[in-house]
Amino acid sequence: SCAGFQLRFIASGKSSYHLSYWALDNIQVELKDRDKQTSIFYVSMTGNNSNDGKSWINAKREVQAAIDAAQPGDEVWVAAGIYYPTSYIADTTGKQTGKSIQMKDGVSLFGGFAGTEFMKDKRVKSGSAPWEFQYESVLSGKDIDCDHVIWSSYEENGFSRYTCLEGFSVTGGSSGYWEAGNYGQGIYACKNMEVLNCRVYNNFGVYGGGIYNRGIVRGCLFYQNEGISGAGIFNSGGLITGCTIQ
């Protein structure tokens, strides 16, 4: 699971701290000041971006709107439906490229919800495979001006906080406009990002049509992706485990 556990301590009645443990293939332990509780922002097909996104009833309509409203440590929950990238990214020179869903450092995204759940483990599975959710949350770049469906960061060190993408179907990314645009048309996953329990299909690129990975990819299905080098996955120093490539 993307979720770890947190132990809270009160130091002399003045400061609150959390000890966070993430059970990946290696153990990352982080002690930091956490004065705010995690907030959840909700997205649904019947939502509206003018809503505050703090409940299913007041959900936002676009995934990017929820990401933009969230702060590091928050989560975005996405109900079943098809959602499209709406934010243009820029290359290292500032040139505007195609649309993508831009991940935010420390903000994790979760799909597979019916739109009524209050806990992630209440999501209904349709099969035994980790990517099989009865309610499918699709992130699609099909038939729009899309570069990467999911974009993270081209910074060498990636994200500074653990960031997760879990429970989505990612499709319709196509080769883009600039050098980095040819890397990971479905998902560009930087360091300290985990892609978990996702279906990645029908994406086309040069290096990793499905995903260009510098982070962690776990329990995902890749099929019908195309690329010159790594149709499904191009791995650049990341970790891949428990995945199926067809």
Side-chain angles (χ1 to χ4, degrees), residues 34 36-39 71-75 105-108 161:
R34 287 289 303 275
K36 68 180 286 293
Q37 297 297 315
T38 296
S39 294
Q71 298 298 316
D74 291 342
E75 297 178 355
D105 194 342
V107 175
S108 292
R161 299 169 181 256

Side-chain angles (χ1 to χ4, degrees), residues 137-155:
S137 302
V138 181
L139 307 178
S140 175
K142 184 179 179 180
D143 298 329
I144 66 170
D145 182 20
C146 174
D147 195 348
H148 313 267
V149 179
I150 294 290
W151 174 255
S152 54
S153 171
Y154 52 73
E155 297 295 335

Side-chain angles (χ1 to χ4, degrees), residues 49-195:
N49 288 342
S50 64
N51 293 338
D52 63 13
K54 295 297 185 69
S55 68
W56 287 120
I57 294 175
N58 293 308
K60 292 187 177 294
R61 176 59 179 82
E62 295 173 351
V63 174
Q64 193 67 57
I67 295 173
D68 292 346
Q71 298 298 316
D74 291 342
E75 297 178 355
V76 174
W77 293 11
V78 182
I82 301 176
Y83 303 87
Y84 295 93
T86 57
S87 183
Y88 283 96
I89 61 175
D91 64 15
T92 53
T93 68
K95 179 183 177 181
Q96 185 170 280
T97 68
K99 292 179 180 178
S100 295
I101 294 173
Q102 297 186 45
M103 300 288 289
K104 181 184 287 187
D105 194 342
V107 175
S108 292
L109 275 61
F110 300 90
F113 294 93
T116 58
E117 300 89 345
F118 292 94
M119 298 177 65
K120 290 193 288 288
D121 63 6
K122 297 300 182 182
R123 290 174 292 177
V124 179
K125 300 300 292 293
S126 61
S128 59
W131 53 80
E132 291 181 323
F133 291 90
Q134 181 171 329
Y135 299 100
E136 188 178 4
S137 302
V138 181
L139 307 178
S140 175
K142 184 179 179 180
D143 298 329
I144 66 170
D145 182 20
C146 174
D147 195 348
H148 313 267
V149 179
I150 294 290
W151 174 255
S152 54
S153 171
Y154 52 73
E155 297 295 335
E156 176 61 29
N157 294 324
F159 286 147
S160 63
R161 299 169 181 256
Y162 175 80
T163 306
C164 181
L165 179 78
E166 194 262 354
F168 289 95
S169 294
V170 181
T171 186
S174 60
S175 191
Y177 300 84
W178 53 297
E179 183 179 357
N182 293 321
Y183 292 74
Q185 269 29 75
I187 304 170
Y188 187 99
C190 65
K191 293 180 180 178
N192 217 18
M193 177 176 169
E194 181 172 16
V195 179

